[in-house]
Amino acid sequence: MSQHIVGNASQVVDAESFLAATHVSRETIGRLALYESLLRKWQKSINLVSSATLSALWRRHMLDSAQLAALAPESARIWADLGSGGGFPGLVIAIILREFPGFTMHLVESDQRKCVFLREVARETGAPVEVHNTRIEDFAAESGLRPDVVSARALAPLPRLLGWAAPLFDPATIGLFLKGQGVEGELTEARKEWIFEAELSPSRSDPSGCVLKLRGLHGADRH
């Protein structure tokens, strides 16, 4: 959408360097900084992210999530983030895109304590989110939602992820999935069960990662 990442991502170490790399507004940086503060506080009692990544939170989590905003269509207003955990990428994107009229981020997370955290951050930051404390399979099958974008980060191998997400897709839905080095093998396996168009982009936050942009998802048995 309106989010672009410039410069050397490895230099993103705090809120100011994140601002320089992304050119988001000062108001957005303030909300993301509040999110960081709440995450560090809650992390002491709930494992929201790997403790080893806290020292690089602005690159490993904030920037990693924010890069998806640039890959979504300008018209995207309804977004579903699967397995949201501590809010990455969905909550970061919701904070960045909160001013877009009609924007809503659906955060799907089965862990009740993490859902309490997500709701607290959303309340404090004014992020336009709805938190669904349920399993992904149940949400996809029962919600009736057909979002513009479906996202996930480090959630499951692609064949399993697509099985969960497929009920949410209509012909215009786009998947944005943050993946690691094994993505080519996952794509090969997924194509045994699913038909889709895929586009890979290098991750702006992790040299070993990539973003998978996927559209036209349907079962391979459909013609």
Side-chain angles (χ1 to χ4, degrees):
M1 300 173 89
S2 61
Q3 173 73 10
H4 300 283
I5 297 171
V6 299
N8 187 349
S10 66
Q11 296 176 355
V12 174
V13 296
D14 54 19
E16 285 300 314
S17 50
F18 180 95
L19 175 63
T22 61
H23 295 170
V24 297
S25 68
R26 281 282 176 189
E27 292 77 11
T28 294
I29 284 293
R31 294 184 180 99
L32 290 172
L34 177 54
Y35 179 12
E36 176 196 20
S37 176
L38 290 167
L39 184 143
R40 291 184 182 279
K41 176 183 176 182
W42 283 63
Q43 179 74 11
K44 296 173 184 177
S45 56
I46 303 175
N47 186 32
L48 296 168
V49 298
S50 169
S51 296
T53 65
L54 280 176
S55 62
L57 185 144
W58 281 91
R59 178 179 61 83
R60 293 282 298 274
H61 299 295
M62 297 296 194
L63 189 67
D64 195 45
S65 300
Q67 65 182 315
L68 297 189
L71 298 174
E74 287 287 341
S75 59
R77 290 295 182 272
I78 306 300
W79 196 304
D81 186 55
L82 307 182
S84 298
F88 306 105
L91 193 50
V92 173
I93 294 164
I95 291 171
I96 290 172
L97 301 181
R98 69 184 294 275
E99 301 299 336
F100 279 69
F103 182 87
T104 303
M105 174 68 73
H106 294 266
L107 303 176
V108 185
E109 172 55 49
S110 61
D111 186 306
Q112 184 174 4
R113 295 184 305 163
K114 290 179 180 177
C115 287
V116 173
F117 168 75
L118 294 172
R119 292 188 179 105
E120 174 69 6
V121 177
R123 185 180 67 82
E124 292 283 349
T125 62
V129 307
E130 294 184 19
V131 180
H132 304 269
N133 184 193
T134 186
R135 298 187 339 147
I136 296 168
E137 307 95 301
D138 295 336
F139 175 81
E142 299 169 6
S143 68
L145 190 70
R146 295 296 182 271
D148 301 306
V149 178
V150 177
S151 62
R153 183 175 82 147
L155 180 60
L158 190 60
R160 190 187 313 164
L161 174 58
L162 296 185
W164 291 340
L168 296 170
F169 274 73
D170 68 17
T173 302
I174 290 175
L176 291 176
F177 305 126
L178 290 155
K179 304 297 289 183
Q181 290 177 316
V183 67
E184 292 289 356
E186 292 185 29
L187 283 166
T188 298
E189 288 300 310
R191 286 194 167 103
K192 296 176 181 178
E193 302 177 52
W194 303 97
I195 293 173
F196 52 85
E197 299 173 24
E199 177 185 342
L200 290 174
S201 303
S203 170
R204 300 303 304 272
S205 62
D206 179 1
S208 66
C210 66
V211 179
L212 171 61
K213 188 173 186 177
L214 184 148
R215 68 182 75 215
L217 177 65
H218 61 272
D221 57 345
R222 284 178 50 189
H223 301 286

